[in-house]
Amino acid sequence: MMAADQLVQNWQAQDIAIVHDGQAYGLGVAEAARQRLQERGVNEVMFEAIEPGKTDYFDLIDRLQAKGVDALFFGGYYAEAGLIIRQARSRGYDIRMIGPDTLNTDFFWRVAGDASEGVLFPSNRELRNEPDAAPLVGRFRAKGYEPEGITLQFYIATQVWAEAVEKAGTLGLEAVIETLRTHQFDTLVGSIGFDAKGDVTGYKPFEWYIWKGGHYYAP
């Protein structure tokens, strides 16, 4: 898992905590991070859940400070992540946060404000600045919608599925799956295919991003 490997690479000798929101996605990525850390020989000093939807996480921040946590992996969504890092910074607590791809939205910055500076997360490749994507991005923006996050990836996935159905000549699931595994598809990110497990080939789907100045960038 990219997030856990980043933690090991940069904070192995320091204290790492894993916090999650107790929901299916947040708990899932937190447990995956924990497993990967342990595979790399690192044990976290804290693994616990928060109650999502609260407006005050200072009790969590107190516990993180008491344990001397240097780096926090948060499994959950932008609202809680933004509030936790903002309240930590209001205490002068220079903890480093790494989150999942739920932080790839401007709503995270709206919650965290300047405290978002330096927050890291892995996410699908940012496609809005790809030259070939300019016409499509323009169409989204003309309708008042900013295609952030994985909007364009979903668009590509829909196009690939439609092309696979056309090539297969049927909506039958098995036939479409077989077509996806045995053909290449021209997309905004070039020619892609899928292996026997369904993983994409010909395209590196994930990159690291960091929040700076109210926007996220690939470092």
Side-chain angles (χ1 to χ4, degrees):
M1 182 180 182
M2 290 176 66
D5 289 339
Q6 180 79 254
L7 286 165
V8 172
Q9 180 179 334
N10 293 287
W11 293 282
Q12 182 172 1
Q14 299 170 301
D15 290 324
I16 297 170
I18 300 174
V19 174
H20 61 88
D21 63 5
Q23 300 182 83
Y25 176 75
L27 176 59
V29 295
E31 288 179 334
R34 185 185 204 183
Q35 179 179 342
R36 181 60 174 164
L37 282 178
Q38 292 175 352
E39 289 172 356
R40 297 286 302 270
V42 176
N43 292 311
E44 76 284 351
V45 298
M46 180 191 296
F47 185 93
E48 66 174 71
I50 62 164
E51 179 185 343
K54 291 177 61 177
T55 59
D56 183 339
Y57 291 105
F58 285 112
D59 56 341
L60 168 68
I61 293 163
D62 288 341
R63 293 195 298 279
L64 292 169
Q65 285 188 293
K67 289 185 176 292
V69 171
D70 300 293
L72 167 67
F73 176 77
F74 179 73
Y77 294 91
Y78 66 83
E80 289 76 19
L83 193 54
I84 289 168
I85 195 65
R86 190 182 82 198
Q87 292 179 344
R89 293 286 184 268
S90 75
R91 288 271 184 91
Y93 184 15
D94 192 28
I95 191 172
R96 191 67 181 270
M97 175 181 278
I98 294 178
D101 60 358
T102 55
L103 305 191
N104 66 352
T105 169
D106 289 342
F107 287 108
F108 172 71
W109 177 81
R110 294 183 192 181
V111 177
D114 291 342
S116 64
E117 199 79 3
V119 171
L120 287 163
F121 64 93
S123 186
N124 289 277
R125 190 167 125 198
E126 175 59 72
L127 300 179
R128 283 178 290 180
N129 297 325
E130 299 278 345
D132 290 344
L136 177 59
V137 171
R139 285 161 54 193
F140 274 111
R141 289 174 174 165
K143 293 183 178 295
Y145 181 81
E146 181 60 34
E148 65 176 8
I150 57 175
T151 299
L152 297 183
Q153 280 83 355
F154 273 119
Y155 185 92
I156 291 169
T158 302
Q159 284 191 312
V160 168
W161 175 83
E163 188 175 339
V165 169
E166 184 178 357
K167 289 178 182 294
T170 175
L171 287 169
L173 180 61
E174 294 302 322
V176 173
I177 290 174
E178 180 63 21
T179 300
L180 287 169
R181 290 176 174 169
T182 55
H183 289 74
Q184 293 294 117
F185 304 89
D186 292 327
T187 73
L188 291 177
V189 294
S191 180
I192 66 171
F194 301 90
D195 63 19
K197 296 186 296 182
D199 291 334
V200 67
T201 59
Y203 166 63
K204 182 182 177 183
F206 288 97
E207 292 183 341
W208 275 106
Y209 293 93
I210 187 169
W211 276 96
K212 288 185 177 180
H215 302 280
Y216 59 85
Y217 304 91

